[in-house]
Amino acid sequence: QKEVEQDPGPLSVPEGAIVSLNCTYSNSAFQYFMWYRQYSRKGPELLMYTYSSGNKEDGRFTAQVDKSSKYISLFIRDSQPSDSATYLCAFSGGYQKVTFGTGTKLQVIP
Amino acid sequence: DTAVSQTPKYLVTQMGNDKSIKCEQNLGHDTMYWYKQDSKKFLKIMFSYNNKELIINETVPNRFSPKSPDKAHLNLHINSLELGDSAVYFCASSQPPGTSGYTDTQYFGPGTRLTVL
């Protein structure tokens, strides 16, 4: 079983749609849960970060963590063409080694 | 003001050559990393340095040698380049554990796109 599983997509949605991106993980030692956004030909940038189960909201973005199911999600409300990017889930056990998902490519159509 | 910078941005070279990539961060972080991102966008850690000391050394060929002259700089030297080394190499930095507000989040540079012909 892979340590992190993420659907690579691509995911294509119309502008204004709600987007749901998901990852599952198998390592119980993970305690930090992150989402990075990577635009084409750019470095990943941190979008959301959490360390507890439940929801964390930041503007149009909501990160959800379910530690019992080892499942994390990122929701994007009112998606915009500028949200078109690859979204990487990331996990850490707190020892500076971050494990990334393979990324989901999202395209928001105007 | 650029937080994590890398040079060069693009690197095209022949098989068998030796090349270096440089990274600098002005965030005041103690920890720096090198990642390799392949054509399928999979981002894999290669090395991590904490205040000039190597702390993570994943299964990477000996042809790859990181060097950290000070905590703000981490360079990557690659000997005898092979076709399979073609990828985008990202430098990143973060605060070390124990730092106030430590979150293990990493700040990435713009990447160096290496093409080996």
Side-chain angles (χ1 to χ4, degrees), chain B residues 85-98:
Chain B
D85 297 332
S86 296
V88 182
Y89 292 84
F90 287 101
C91 177
S93 73
S94 72
Q95 296 170 307

Side-chain angles (χ1 to χ4, degrees), chain A residues 32-102:
Chain A
Y32 297 98
F33 308 92
M34 296 156 276
W35 285 95
Y36 283 79
R37 177 176 61 196
Q38 185 175 19
Y39 290 114
S40 181
R41 297 187 174 260
K42 300 284 186 185
E45 56 177 340
L46 181 69
L47 195 60
M48 296 285 287
Y49 154 85
T50 185
Y51 56 85
S52 58
S53 280
N55 294 351
K56 181 177 180 179
E57 196 172 308
D58 184 1
R60 296 185 295 111
F61 299 91
T62 299
Q64 186 177 79
V65 174
D66 182 345
K67 286 187 180 180
S68 60
S69 301
K70 295 191 175 65
Y71 188 90
I72 71 169
S73 299
L74 177 71
F75 298 97
I76 307 174
R77 288 184 299 281
D78 188 26
S79 55
Q80 302 294 309
S82 59
D83 295 328
S84 298
T86 296
Y87 290 80
L88 301 146
C89 57
F91 303 82
S92 168
Y95 297 101
Q96 301 179 279
K97 183 181 172 184
V98 178
T99 301
F100 287 86
T102 50

Side-chain angles (χ1 to χ4, degrees), chain A residues 5 8 85:
Chain A
E5 302 251 21

Side-chain angles (χ1 to χ4, degrees), chain B residues 43-68:
Chain B
L43 194 62
K44 191 166 176 7
I45 191 167
M46 301 173 69
F47 301 103
S48 170
Y49 270 75
N50 187 29
N51 202 10
K52 301 193 296 176
E53 302 249 352
L54 181 66
I55 55 171
I56 294 175
N57 185 354
E58 292 294 288
T59 307
V60 176
N62 290 338
R63 300 181 294 104
F64 291 80
S65 53
K67 280 191 172 54
S68 182

Side-chain angles (χ1 to χ4, degrees), chain B residues 30-44:
Chain B
D30 283 355
T31 307
M32 296 183 72
Y33 310 79
W34 278 112
Y35 285 87
K36 179 180 179 181
Q37 188 172 49
D38 61 25
S39 57
K40 295 185 178 179
K41 294 289 190 180
F42 183 54
L43 194 62
K44 191 166 176 7

